[in-house]
Amino acid sequence: MIKVENLVKKYGSHIAIDNLSFEVEKGQIYGFLGPNGAGKSTTMNIMTGYLAASDGMVEINGHDILTEPEEAKKCIGYLPELPPLYPDMTVIEYLRFVAELKRVSKSERSGQINEIMGMVEIEDVSERLIKNLSKGYKQRVGLAQAIIGYPDVIILDEPMVGLDPKQIIEIRELIKKLSKNHTIILSSHILSEISTVCDYIMIISKGKLVASDTPEGLQKLMKKSTEIELTAFGDTDKAAEILSEIENIQSYSFEDASEENSIKVRILTEDNMDIRKELSVAFTSNDMPVLSMNKVEKSLEDIFLQLTETVDEDSDVDEEMIESEEITENTESKEEE
Ligand code: ADP
Ligand code: MG
């Protein structure tokens, strides 16, 4: 349905999108997750034809966004980071205007607008000027604007920014409802906003795709390495000596222990091995009674942080990275607003 291949976007010498490739299948909810500046908005702006890429290709339903922009754009509804709202129009005037722009046929126009206003629950404010609406309502009007014309794909850039928790839940419900008939791509820099609503998560960091999987798949991926947190009476020198005798330890690091005369160490094991029994026996028999020991389960939050922080260094996520190729010095970038 959507194909993005080797997308590159340069702002001067700064590479905002670095050889990004992915595909989007019909009827799913996709989440673009990444810290601020990762390149989410840039990618979405290119996918929707708002911005020209420096290199690479975007295809929507078989239509290239560059060579067949009209056809491609017809398949997409877009809520950009800053929704293109007209503050001096009333909600209904604005939506009529959008429907006209999107060439919704005259006979369908008012029926569709009413239906969508009902869906995003803005009927109450239909006669109000947009500039007088609260942030939450403005966001819903932006969403309505994206839905008009019932495009196959709806792309939402940070749709939950600035909303309160209740509004976030409402938008989430709405997105789920929409996903019955539309493919949805939304972006966020907040994991929890994405993990509960998306079928697939694409983690973007510094313009690169560093992981792409279901929320469950991502969690599994990280469970490959088990971490054990151990506290015991004694000192670090002795603990290091004991640890050096134990097999299947990949690495360990000492942390500040909360109690006096005790140590706290985080141990990463090889091949997901659970070596708690060996640790317990070794420490106790070497006169370092174990105070506590925990197997640390990685949360999705840890995974997100790990993936977005270790992109430049080597790490255990290497195999999940998209291989980047040399990009030839290329075409100047054209911007359209
Ligand atoms: P995100 O949406 O993930 O926060 P963006 O796509 O907005 O990230 O930005 C990606 C990178 O490109 C950032 O480093 C940002 O500073 C840079 N960038 C975005 N827009 C421009 C622009 N118009 N000119 C120069 N640099 C830009
Ligand atoms: Mg953004």
Side-chain angles (χ1 to χ4, degrees), residues 62 64 123 242 261 314:
D64 190 303
E123 298 119 311
I242 297 168
N261 301 321
D314 81 314

Side-chain angles (χ1 to χ4, degrees), residues 11 14 16 35-42:
Y11 291 112
H14 176 65
N36 286 326
K40 304 179 296 295
S41 298
T42 303

Side-chain angles (χ1 to χ4, degrees), residues 189-212:
H189 61 286
I190 299 166
L191 174 80
S192 59
E193 288 181 359
I194 289 234
S195 58
T196 47
V197 73
C198 293
D199 302 304
Y200 283 96
I201 298 180
M202 296 190 248
I203 300 183
I204 299 179
S205 177
K206 297 172 192 159
K208 286 193 166 100
L209 189 63
V210 292
S212 147

Side-chain angles (χ1 to χ4, degrees), residues 43 95 106 157 171 284 312:
T43 306
L95 294 180
K106 257 202 176 116
D157 195 359
I171 293 271
T284 311
D312 288 335

